[in-house]
Each structure stands twice: as structure tokens, then as C-alpha cells.
Amino acid sequence: MFYVDESFDERKFCLTAMWIKHREWRACFDAIREYRIELKNTYGIRVRKELHARELVAGRGDLGSGNVLTKWQRSRIFLGVLRLLSKMPVRLMNVCMDVERHGATTHMVAWDRLVNRIERTMKAIDDEEAVNRKQIAMVAETRLPKDVLSEMKARLDAFACRALIISDEGHEKDITGALRRMHVYNPIPSKFGAWETGDRLKSITTDRIIEDPIFRRSATSPLLQLVDCASYALLKRETEPTKHIKKYNIHKMFDAALPPLCFRKASSNDPLGIVRA
């Protein structure tokens, strides 16, 4: 499952996907709930109160504590969210687009880059597992009865790596339409100038992403709130910090907490795998 949210200003557009394996979902949910209970006990913030990164850091919005929280306390809560995320069994895929370069298409260009990275990653896992399954089957052939071997091969062959995208609300029609088109026709340019056929473009459809994206209000999804914080931290890393951001070191928090989670294979051109083009 890929939980996706965005942060942007007039210069940069950041899109972050938090990648959770389905078997780890409950552990992640429980970790968030424990942290929210800790926030309630420490600051009085209601467990169900949305933590929206921009408002949290800026010092705006009622956190439902009944107490006035200083901007320093809010910045420490924000860093605490990032540190919580850093301890969870998840990975992050990050896209950072230059708004001036892409203009009005920036949002959809970022989604295009993200979706293609998700598809490519699922295929790489499928390919790797195919090799592993073949090796297991070769060993098993010398040790197992034919009927057991046949059942085992059937179980191994049933494996398929698939992705489901869960996103914050906004631009639902555009994103859904784009992904449906990518299921049918998805032209990808060769990084070497041409594919083996000699063509510059090749359609690599998004066969491993299932269903339309599921859109949810972030206020009702603790997991999307984590992604919002990660995306905002990335934005502040990538832009010139304001006096307020610099005072509380918000621009340094991404590097302080999240690099171990970054999926570096998403882009070989960036040390943290951030997709930039």
C-alpha cells in the first residue's frame, strides 16, 4: 500500500509516498496510536485531532489541548512525528518538482513520475522473486515427492507484487483519469535515447497497480497525516528557509530523521533517491 500526500509552495512541489507492506499495516497503526496517546498525556492533544504539518509548524490551528502550545513545542511535536515514522517498517518514495519549469502541469508531472516508480519497483520485486522461486524449486525437486512438489510450485507461482494507492483528497478526477490511461498506454522515453526497437518511446503500462487510487480525507487517516509531515519536511529541505523555519531547524528535520527510509533506487541521480526530473 502506498499512502500519498503533497506539499508545495510557489517554487517547489513535493510528493511523498509511504510504502507499507500489508502484513506491517497493523504494526504501523498501533505505533501511531501509541504516539497519539503519548501526545495526549504530554500536551493534551486529542487522539483523533488531525496533525496537519503546515498548520502545526506555523503555530496555527486549535490542537484541542485547551492549552497554548508554543512554536517550540509545536516544532518538537513535528520532529517527534518524523522520528516516529523513522522507526516504522515503511519506505518513502519522494518526488520534488521545480514549479517554474513545469508550470501548471507540475502536479500531474509529479504524479506521473511517482506512479511509474511504483510500477517499476513492483516489477523489480516480481522479477527478483521469480529467480528466487526458481532456485527454491530446483532444490525442492531433489527432495520432495512429485505431488508435494507440484503443490509447492503452484503456491510459489501464485506470488505477485501489487500496489494500491491511497491518497489525500484533491484532484481526484485528474489523477484517476491519468492512472486509467497509464493502464492502457504509458509512453516511457529510453534513458539511452532509443529502445531496442529503435523507437524513442515505449509503452510500459501500469499492470501492477490495482484499482483506482483511493482518496481519503487526511483528517480521518493517521497514516496520511504521517505522509503529510514527511512531504512537508521534504519541502522545507528543498526550499530556502524563512526566519521562522530556520529558528526551529524545520529545514534540517528531514535529514535528521528520514534518510534511512528513503527508497534510493527510485532515482540514481540523487543520493536519497529523490526524483527531480
Side-chain angles (χ1 to χ4, degrees), residues 115-260:
V115 168
N116 276 305
R117 262 52 178 199
I118 293 173
E119 172 67 24
R120 190 173 71 187
T121 301
M122 297 300 99
K123 183 180 185 305
I125 294 173
D126 261 348
D127 292 345
E128 182 179 341
E129 285 300 313
V131 174
N132 293 337
R133 292 194 298 270
K134 185 176 180 179
Q135 292 174 343
I136 292 171
M138 289 175 62
V139 173
E141 283 178 354
T142 64
R143 303 183 182 183
L144 296 178
K146 287 186 177 181
D147 57 335
V148 177
L149 179 63
S150 177
E151 181 179 352
M152 188 202 74
K153 284 184 175 181
R155 287 177 176 270
L156 289 174
D157 290 340
F159 173 87
C161 193
R162 297 294 181 264
L164 178 68
I165 295 174
I166 302 166
S167 176
D168 190 13
E169 291 180 328
H171 299 277
E172 291 94 329
K173 184 177 179 180
D174 291 339
I175 295 168
T176 300
L179 189 53
R180 287 182 178 179
R181 289 190 292 272
M182 293 169 78
H183 287 322
V184 179
Y185 179 66
N186 183 34
I188 304 293
S190 170
K191 62 181 179 180
F192 302 110
W195 293 95
E196 62 276 5
T197 60
D199 297 323
R200 189 178 67 85
L201 298 175
K202 178 180 179 180
S203 178
I204 303 177
T205 52
T206 53
D207 301 331
R208 293 167 180 81
I209 299 176
I210 59 175
E211 251 292 4
D212 291 336
I214 297 171
F215 294 94
R216 293 191 59 184
R217 286 198 309 120
S218 60
T220 67
S221 173
L223 290 160
L224 280 175
Q225 292 171 40
L226 282 193
V227 189
D228 172 60
C229 288
S231 183
Y232 186 76
L234 176 62
L235 177 67
K236 294 304 157 185
R237 177 188 191 267
E238 297 293 325
T239 54
E240 186 68 25
T242 63
K243 182 179 178 180
H244 168 72
I245 293 298
K246 187 178 293 186
K247 180 178 180 179
Y248 299 106
N249 284 326
I250 305 298
H251 60 304
K252 296 181 179 180
M253 290 183 180
F254 187 96
D255 286 345
L258 300 181

Side-chain angles (χ1 to χ4, degrees), residues 55-117:
E55 294 178 355
L56 174 63
V57 170
R60 295 193 300 269
D62 177 20
L63 296 179
S65 65
N67 303 314
V68 176
L69 297 177
T70 66
K71 290 188 176 181
W72 169 258
Q73 288 175 316
R74 286 170 173 263
S75 71
R76 295 310 98 183
I77 293 171
F78 180 68
L79 179 58
V81 172
L82 300 182
R83 286 175 172 166
L84 166 68
L85 181 55
S86 72
K87 298 174 184 177
M88 291 169 55
V90 303
R91 305 294 294 276
L92 298 178
M93 285 189 181
N94 297 292
V95 177
C96 183
M97 298 278 106
D98 189 323
V99 174
E100 184 177 356
R101 176 183 176 185
H102 295 286
T105 66
T106 303
H107 185 272
M108 294 312 300
V109 171
W111 266 95
D112 176 89
R113 302 296 188 267
L114 178 65
V115 168
N116 276 305
R117 262 52 178 199

